[in-house]
Amino acid sequence: MNILVIGRGGREHAIIWSLKKSAKIKQIYCAPGNAGTAQLAENVDIGELEFARLVKFAQDKAIDLVVVGPDDPLAAGIVDEFEAAKIPVYGPRKNAAEIEGSKIFMKDLLRKYNIPTAKYETFTDYAAASAYLRQQPLPIVIKADGLAAGKGVAVCFTREEADRALEETMVDKSFGAAGDKVVIEEFLEGQEMSILAFVDGETVRVMSPAQDHKQVFDNDKGPNTGGMGTYSPLPHIAQSIIDDSIENIIKPTARAMVSEGRPFRGVLFAGLMITKDGPKTIEFNARFGDPETQVVLPRLKSDLLEIFLASINGTLHELDITWSSEAAVCVVLASGGYPGSYPKGFPIEGLEAADNSTDALIFHAGTAVKDGQVVTNGGRVLGIVGLGSDIAEARTRAYETADRITFKGKQNRTDIAAKALL
Ligand code: AMP
Ligand code: GLY
């Protein structure tokens, strides 16, 4: 089969790496891709939102399946476009991707179907939002309704922070139209956990859970990023809590989407807080997580292509998906300055570090090739994944390889997965 993967991050590199193991693969293209995807697939210079060009490319190359990685094209209806052109595509339609594209849609859905989430109110008017905010206890959480590259959420511990966050979102429009509406919600305390699931309508096949590290610095200090590292499985979290999340949050949400006439097909990703009253939903994403995918897919024993095809053919419920008991830890190497502004174009040395090892994988994110040399080309540059019999071994292997790779301004957290070892 000829496959077109859309996206340019570590997630897409990991998806392609996993698809490559399938005997059915003939050729994989990646639009636009990065220096890592270029090693396994043919990169195509078309952006994720250039729908007409992507559809034309898929027709010209007789693409048998399109796999969409990022949130923006899904929210903008890329799946509907490919379906209209009769090209098989894996991902949710626009009306189902709204579960990520609009936080208000997501919160109202969960409220309507009694699915655990933080208490909240929504606002379109700044004065009303501001008056409500003043009545709320601290800490308090303010969220832009729309997509904001993971930056539209402010967890506020003081009145000043809260006032500033609301003003930035609704008045200054720091996140553009995404901040025309806001959610103001209760602060949830506890450990976070990500559960990703392959979903087709009411059929839910969960993946092994993972934990992300959102803040840029060690000990969860500094501003939020797209994710500085992940690990899977979560040995310190009881199976009963994972089961509770699946039965009381993920499955009811899939059923709710069917009831609403918006059946979800694709990867449904629940960001959860394990509170003292049980797991509650922080957010839903309509796609694979990045860098969750980098630790989850290396542990998948089943054929990823078969899972995508079964979802499209309506036979996902017949599949038995199996996972390796190995552990995986991903350490993200980022550009100095990220998540703020950062320079690009620095040569990356030591990439051959993982070449002779089956215990560490290097997934590229913000990389490009310039004059035959791999250079930095984004905030999150590489995801180094260590595999091992347990988290401690996987973590040692990830850091051993991460330490051998260098580029100017390189920064990474040194405490990825440390919580699992306490
Ligand atoms: P989101 O983009 O919705 O995942 O939010 C980004 C991060 O903000 C989450 O991973 C949490 O760490 C934090 N967060 C979001 N909502 C809440 C909440 N209600 N209570 C506590 N922390 C939250
Ligand atoms: N790592 C979080 C996300 O992909 O949204």
Short mmCIF file of all heavy atoms in Angstrom, two decimals, residues 206-255:
data_model
loop_
_atom_site.label_atom_id
_atom_site.label_comp_id
_atom_site.label_asym_id
_atom_site.label_seq_id
_atom_site.Cartn_x
_atom_site.Cartn_y
_atom_site.Cartn_z
N VAL A 206 -8.13 0.75 24.04
CA VAL A 206 -7.19 1.67 24.67
C VAL A 206 -5.75 1.24 24.48
O VAL A 206 -5.44 0.05 24.39
CB VAL A 206 -7.46 1.87 26.18
CG1 VAL A 206 -8.76 2.58 26.41
CG2 VAL A 206 -7.38 0.56 26.91
N MET A 207 -4.89 2.23 24.42
CA MET A 207 -3.46 1.98 24.38
C MET A 207 -2.94 2.00 25.81
O MET A 207 -3.64 2.39 26.74
CB MET A 207 -2.76 3.07 23.55
CG MET A 207 -3.36 3.20 22.16
SD MET A 207 -2.45 4.37 21.13
CE MET A 207 -3.82 5.06 20.19
N SER A 208 -1.70 1.59 25.96
CA SER A 208 -1.08 1.61 27.28
C SER A 208 -0.93 3.08 27.72
O SER A 208 -0.55 3.92 26.92
CB SER A 208 0.27 0.92 27.16
OG SER A 208 0.80 0.73 28.43
N PRO A 209 -1.26 3.42 28.98
CA PRO A 209 -1.22 4.83 29.39
C PRO A 209 0.19 5.40 29.44
O PRO A 209 1.17 4.67 29.52
CB PRO A 209 -1.84 4.81 30.78
CG PRO A 209 -1.76 3.43 31.24
CD PRO A 209 -1.71 2.53 30.05
N ALA A 210 0.27 6.73 29.40
CA ALA A 210 1.56 7.42 29.41
C ALA A 210 1.45 8.66 30.29
O ALA A 210 0.35 9.10 30.63
CB ALA A 210 1.94 7.83 27.99
N GLN A 211 2.59 9.20 30.67
CA GLN A 211 2.59 10.46 31.40
C GLN A 211 3.54 11.43 30.70
O GLN A 211 4.64 11.06 30.30
CB GLN A 211 3.03 10.23 32.84
CG GLN A 211 2.53 11.29 33.78
CD GLN A 211 2.66 10.88 35.24
OE1 GLN A 211 3.75 10.58 35.69
NE2 GLN A 211 1.56 10.86 35.97
N ASP A 212 3.06 12.65 30.53
CA ASP A 212 3.83 13.71 29.86
C ASP A 212 4.42 14.64 30.92
O ASP A 212 3.99 14.64 32.06
CB ASP A 212 2.85 14.49 28.95
CG ASP A 212 3.55 15.43 27.98
OD1 ASP A 212 4.79 15.42 27.92
OD2 ASP A 212 2.84 16.18 27.29
N HIS A 213 5.42 15.41 30.54
CA HIS A 213 6.00 16.45 31.40
C HIS A 213 5.88 17.75 30.64
O HIS A 213 6.62 18.00 29.70
CB HIS A 213 7.47 16.15 31.69
CG HIS A 213 7.72 14.85 32.39
ND1 HIS A 213 7.42 13.63 31.84
CD2 HIS A 213 8.24 14.58 33.61
CE1 HIS A 213 7.74 12.67 32.69
NE2 HIS A 213 8.24 13.22 33.77
N LYS A 214 4.90 18.57 31.04
CA LYS A 214 4.56 19.75 30.22
C LYS A 214 5.50 20.92 30.45
O LYS A 214 5.81 21.66 29.53
CB LYS A 214 3.13 20.22 30.55
CG LYS A 214 2.08 19.20 30.25
CD LYS A 214 1.22 19.60 29.08
CE LYS A 214 0.46 18.41 28.66
NZ LYS A 214 -0.83 18.41 28.27
N GLN A 215 5.94 21.14 31.70
CA GLN A 215 6.76 22.34 31.96
C GLN A 215 8.17 22.14 31.42
O GLN A 215 8.67 21.02 31.36
CB GLN A 215 6.81 22.65 33.45
CG GLN A 215 5.49 23.17 34.00
CD GLN A 215 4.61 22.07 34.53
OE1 GLN A 215 4.90 20.88 34.33
NE2 GLN A 215 3.51 22.43 35.17
N VAL A 216 8.81 23.26 31.10
CA VAL A 216 10.09 23.19 30.40
C VAL A 216 11.24 22.78 31.31
O VAL A 216 12.18 22.13 30.87
CB VAL A 216 10.37 24.53 29.67
CG1 VAL A 216 10.60 25.66 30.65
CG2 VAL A 216 11.53 24.39 28.69
N PHE A 217 11.15 23.10 32.63
CA PHE A 217 12.29 22.83 33.52
C PHE A 217 12.01 21.69 34.50
O PHE A 217 10.86 21.34 34.74
CB PHE A 217 12.67 24.10 34.31
CG PHE A 217 13.02 25.27 33.43
CD1 PHE A 217 12.40 26.50 33.62
CD2 PHE A 217 13.96 25.16 32.40
CE1 PHE A 217 12.71 27.60 32.82
CE2 PHE A 217 14.27 26.25 31.59
CZ PHE A 217 13.65 27.46 31.79
N ASP A 218 13.09 21.17 35.08
CA ASP A 218 13.00 20.11 36.07
C ASP A 218 12.05 20.50 37.21
O ASP A 218 11.88 21.69 37.50
CB ASP A 218 14.38 19.81 36.66
CG ASP A 218 15.23 18.95 35.73
OD1 ASP A 218 14.76 18.65 34.61
OD2 ASP A 218 16.36 18.59 36.12
N ASN A 219 11.50 19.49 37.87
CA ASN A 219 10.56 19.69 38.98
C ASN A 219 9.33 20.49 38.56
O ASN A 219 8.75 21.23 39.36
CB ASN A 219 11.25 20.37 40.18
CG ASN A 219 12.41 19.55 40.66
OD1 ASN A 219 12.28 18.33 40.83
ND2 ASN A 219 13.57 20.17 40.84
N ASP A 220 8.94 20.34 37.29
CA ASP A 220 7.72 20.99 36.77
C ASP A 220 7.75 22.50 36.96
O ASP A 220 6.74 23.12 37.30
CB ASP A 220 6.47 20.38 37.42
CG ASP A 220 6.31 18.91 37.04
OD1 ASP A 220 6.88 18.50 36.01
OD2 ASP A 220 5.64 18.17 37.79
N LYS A 221 8.91 23.10 36.73
CA LYS A 221 9.04 24.56 36.82
C LYS A 221 9.05 25.17 35.42
O LYS A 221 9.41 24.51 34.44
CB LYS A 221 10.35 24.93 37.53
CG LYS A 221 10.43 24.49 38.99
CD LYS A 221 9.63 25.42 39.89
CE LYS A 221 9.80 25.19 41.37
NZ LYS A 221 9.61 23.83 41.85
N GLY A 222 8.65 26.46 35.36
CA GLY A 222 8.73 27.18 34.09
C GLY A 222 7.46 27.02 33.28
O GLY A 222 6.51 26.33 33.69
N PRO A 223 7.41 27.68 32.13
CA PRO A 223 6.19 27.69 31.32
C PRO A 223 5.88 26.33 30.68
O PRO A 223 6.77 25.48 30.54
CB PRO A 223 6.50 28.73 30.23
CG PRO A 223 7.97 28.86 30.20
CD PRO A 223 8.48 28.52 31.55
N ASN A 224 4.63 26.16 30.30
CA ASN A 224 4.20 24.93 29.62
C ASN A 224 4.78 24.85 28.21
O ASN A 224 4.96 25.86 27.54
CB ASN A 224 2.68 24.87 29.53
CG ASN A 224 2.07 24.21 30.74
OD1 ASN A 224 2.75 23.56 31.52
ND2 ASN A 224 0.77 24.37 30.90
N THR A 225 5.03 23.63 27.77
CA THR A 225 5.53 23.36 26.42
C THR A 225 4.56 22.37 25.77
O THR A 225 3.57 21.97 26.38
CB THR A 225 6.91 22.68 26.48
OG1 THR A 225 6.73 21.37 27.05
CG2 THR A 225 7.88 23.47 27.34
N GLY A 226 4.89 21.93 24.58
CA GLY A 226 4.12 20.85 23.96
C GLY A 226 4.35 19.51 24.65
O GLY A 226 3.60 18.56 24.45
N GLY A 227 5.38 19.42 25.48
CA GLY A 227 5.72 18.17 26.17
C GLY A 227 7.22 17.93 26.08
O GLY A 227 7.78 17.91 24.99
N MET A 228 7.89 17.82 27.24
CA MET A 228 9.36 17.69 27.28
C MET A 228 9.81 16.25 27.48
O MET A 228 11.02 15.97 27.50
CB MET A 228 9.92 18.56 28.41
CG MET A 228 9.78 20.05 28.18
SD MET A 228 10.70 20.64 26.73
CE MET A 228 12.39 20.54 27.33
N GLY A 229 8.84 15.34 27.67
CA GLY A 229 9.24 13.94 27.84
C GLY A 229 8.05 13.13 28.31
O GLY A 229 7.09 13.68 28.85
N THR A 230 8.12 11.84 28.09
CA THR A 230 7.01 10.95 28.43
C THR A 230 7.57 9.60 28.85
O THR A 230 8.72 9.28 28.58
CB THR A 230 6.10 10.71 27.21
OG1 THR A 230 6.92 10.56 26.06
CG2 THR A 230 5.11 11.83 26.98
N TYR A 231 6.69 8.81 29.48
CA TYR A 231 7.05 7.42 29.74
C TYR A 231 5.79 6.57 29.78
O TYR A 231 4.68 7.08 29.99
CB TYR A 231 7.88 7.28 31.01
CG TYR A 231 7.19 7.73 32.27
CD1 TYR A 231 6.63 6.80 33.14
CD2 TYR A 231 7.11 9.07 32.59
CE1 TYR A 231 6.00 7.21 34.30
CE2 TYR A 231 6.48 9.49 33.74
CZ TYR A 231 5.93 8.55 34.60
OH TYR A 231 5.29 8.96 35.75
N SER A 232 5.99 5.30 29.54
CA SER A 232 4.88 4.34 29.52
C SER A 232 5.47 2.96 29.75
O SER A 232 6.55 2.68 29.23
CB SER A 232 4.20 4.39 28.14
OG SER A 232 3.21 3.39 28.03
N PRO A 233 4.84 2.06 30.50
CA PRO A 233 3.58 2.25 31.23
C PRO A 233 3.81 3.08 32.50
O PRO A 233 4.89 3.64 32.68
CB PRO A 233 3.18 0.81 31.57
CG PRO A 233 4.47 0.08 31.72
CD PRO A 233 5.40 0.72 30.73
N LEU A 234 2.76 3.11 33.37
CA LEU A 234 2.82 3.89 34.60
C LEU A 234 2.73 2.92 35.78
O LEU A 234 1.65 2.66 36.30
CB LEU A 234 1.65 4.88 34.65
CG LEU A 234 1.47 5.77 33.40
CD1 LEU A 234 0.26 6.69 33.56
CD2 LEU A 234 2.72 6.57 33.11
N PRO A 235 3.89 2.38 36.21
CA PRO A 235 3.86 1.32 37.22
C PRO A 235 3.33 1.78 38.57
O PRO A 235 2.84 0.96 39.35
CB PRO A 235 5.34 0.90 37.34
CG PRO A 235 6.12 2.02 36.74
CD PRO A 235 5.24 2.68 35.74
N HIS A 236 3.37 3.11 38.82
CA HIS A 236 2.94 3.61 40.13
C HIS A 236 1.46 3.97 40.16
O HIS A 236 0.97 4.46 41.16
CB HIS A 236 3.78 4.83 40.50
CG HIS A 236 3.72 5.92 39.47
ND1 HIS A 236 4.00 5.69 38.14
CD2 HIS A 236 3.38 7.22 39.57
CE1 HIS A 236 3.85 6.82 37.48
NE2 HIS A 236 3.47 7.76 38.31
N ILE A 237 0.75 3.73 39.06
CA ILE A 237 -0.69 4.04 39.04
C ILE A 237 -1.48 2.74 38.99
O ILE A 237 -1.24 1.89 38.13
CB ILE A 237 -1.02 4.98 37.87
CG1 ILE A 237 -0.27 6.29 38.15
CG2 ILE A 237 -2.52 5.18 37.71
CD1 ILE A 237 -0.64 7.48 37.39
N ALA A 238 -2.41 2.61 39.94
CA ALA A 238 -3.14 1.34 40.09
C ALA A 238 -3.99 1.06 38.84
O ALA A 238 -4.58 1.98 38.27
CB ALA A 238 -4.04 1.41 41.31
N GLN A 239 -4.05 -0.21 38.47
CA GLN A 239 -4.86 -0.62 37.32
C GLN A 239 -6.32 -0.22 37.52
O GLN A 239 -7.01 0.12 36.56
CB GLN A 239 -4.73 -2.14 37.11
CG GLN A 239 -5.40 -2.65 35.84
CD GLN A 239 -4.83 -2.03 34.55
OE1 GLN A 239 -3.61 -1.83 34.44
NE2 GLN A 239 -5.70 -1.70 33.60
N SER A 240 -6.78 -0.21 38.78
CA SER A 240 -8.19 0.13 39.03
C SER A 240 -8.48 1.58 38.61
O SER A 240 -9.58 1.89 38.15
CB SER A 240 -8.52 -0.06 40.51
OG SER A 240 -7.69 0.76 41.30
N ILE A 241 -7.48 2.46 38.74
CA ILE A 241 -7.68 3.86 38.34
C ILE A 241 -7.72 3.97 36.81
O ILE A 241 -8.52 4.72 36.23
CB ILE A 241 -6.56 4.74 38.93
CG1 ILE A 241 -6.73 4.79 40.44
CG2 ILE A 241 -6.56 6.14 38.31
CD1 ILE A 241 -5.62 5.49 41.17
N ILE A 242 -6.88 3.18 36.17
CA ILE A 242 -6.87 3.17 34.70
C ILE A 242 -8.21 2.61 34.20
O ILE A 242 -8.84 3.19 33.31
CB ILE A 242 -5.67 2.35 34.19
CG1 ILE A 242 -4.36 3.05 34.63
CG2 ILE A 242 -5.72 2.16 32.68
CD1 ILE A 242 -3.11 2.22 34.47
N ASP A 243 -8.67 1.52 34.81
CA ASP A 243 -9.96 0.93 34.41
C ASP A 243 -11.11 1.91 34.64
O ASP A 243 -12.01 2.02 33.80
CB ASP A 243 -10.22 -0.37 35.19
CG ASP A 243 -9.23 -1.46 34.81
OD1 ASP A 243 -8.60 -1.35 33.73
OD2 ASP A 243 -9.09 -2.43 35.58
N ASP A 244 -11.08 2.60 35.77
CA ASP A 244 -12.10 3.59 36.09
C ASP A 244 -12.15 4.66 34.99
O ASP A 244 -13.22 5.06 34.51
CB ASP A 244 -11.71 4.21 37.46
CG ASP A 244 -12.72 5.21 37.97
OD1 ASP A 244 -13.64 5.58 37.23
OD2 ASP A 244 -12.58 5.66 39.13
N SER A 245 -10.97 5.11 34.55
CA SER A 245 -10.90 6.14 33.50
C SER A 245 -11.49 5.64 32.19
O SER A 245 -12.17 6.36 31.47
CB SER A 245 -9.45 6.55 33.25
OG SER A 245 -8.80 6.85 34.45
N ILE A 246 -11.21 4.40 31.87
CA ILE A 246 -11.70 3.83 30.61
C ILE A 246 -13.22 3.67 30.67
O ILE A 246 -13.94 4.10 29.76
CB ILE A 246 -11.02 2.47 30.34
CG1 ILE A 246 -9.51 2.66 30.16
CG2 ILE A 246 -11.64 1.78 29.10
CD1 ILE A 246 -8.71 1.37 30.21
N GLU A 247 -13.71 3.09 31.77
CA GLU A 247 -15.15 2.78 31.86
C GLU A 247 -16.00 4.03 32.08
O GLU A 247 -17.11 4.11 31.56
CB GLU A 247 -15.41 1.78 33.00
CG GLU A 247 -14.80 0.40 32.76
CD GLU A 247 -15.20 -0.22 31.42
OE1 GLU A 247 -16.38 -0.09 31.01
OE2 GLU A 247 -14.31 -0.84 30.77
N ASN A 248 -15.49 4.99 32.85
CA ASN A 248 -16.32 6.14 33.24
C ASN A 248 -16.04 7.42 32.47
O ASN A 248 -16.77 8.40 32.60
CB ASN A 248 -16.19 6.39 34.75
CG ASN A 248 -16.73 5.21 35.53
OD1 ASN A 248 -17.80 4.67 35.21
ND2 ASN A 248 -15.99 4.75 36.52
N ILE A 249 -14.96 7.44 31.70
CA ILE A 249 -14.65 8.65 30.93
C ILE A 249 -14.53 8.35 29.43
O ILE A 249 -15.26 8.91 28.62
CB ILE A 249 -13.37 9.34 31.47
CG1 ILE A 249 -13.64 9.84 32.90
CG2 ILE A 249 -12.93 10.48 30.54
CD1 ILE A 249 -12.48 10.50 33.60
N ILE A 250 -13.64 7.44 29.06
CA ILE A 250 -13.36 7.28 27.62
C ILE A 250 -14.52 6.60 26.89
O ILE A 250 -15.00 7.11 25.87
CB ILE A 250 -12.03 6.54 27.42
CG1 ILE A 250 -10.90 7.39 28.07
CG2 ILE A 250 -11.74 6.32 25.93
CD1 ILE A 250 -9.56 6.80 28.01
N LYS A 251 -14.99 5.49 27.40
CA LYS A 251 -16.10 4.80 26.71
C LYS A 251 -17.38 5.64 26.69
O LYS A 251 -18.02 5.77 25.63
CB LYS A 251 -16.35 3.42 27.34
CG LYS A 251 -15.26 2.41 26.98
CD LYS A 251 -15.60 1.02 27.53
CE LYS A 251 -14.52 0.02 27.15
NZ LYS A 251 -14.77 -1.29 27.82
N PRO A 252 -17.77 6.26 27.81
CA PRO A 252 -18.98 7.11 27.75
C PRO A 252 -18.82 8.28 26.78
O PRO A 252 -19.80 8.71 26.16
CB PRO A 252 -19.13 7.62 29.19
CG PRO A 252 -18.38 6.66 30.04
CD PRO A 252 -17.27 6.11 29.19
N THR A 253 -17.60 8.80 26.64
CA THR A 253 -17.40 9.92 25.71
C THR A 253 -17.56 9.45 24.27
O THR A 253 -18.19 10.13 23.45
CB THR A 253 -16.01 10.57 25.94
OG1 THR A 253 -15.95 11.04 27.29
CG2 THR A 253 -15.78 11.73 24.99
N ALA A 254 -17.01 8.28 23.96
CA ALA A 254 -17.19 7.73 22.60
C ALA A 254 -18.67 7.52 22.31
O ALA A 254 -19.17 7.86 21.23
CB ALA A 254 -16.41 6.43 22.46
N ARG A 255 -19.42 7.00 23.30
CA ARG A 255 -20.87 6.78 23.13
C ARG A 255 -21.60 8.11 22.98
O ARG A 255 -22.50 8.24 22.16
CB ARG A 255 -21.44 6.02 24.34
CG ARG A 255 -21.17 4.52 24.29
CD ARG A 255 -22.10 3.77 25.26
NE ARG A 255 -21.88 4.13 26.65
CZ ARG A 255 -20.99 3.52 27.46
NH1 ARG A 255 -20.28 2.51 27.03
NH2 ARG A 255 -20.85 3.91 28.71
#
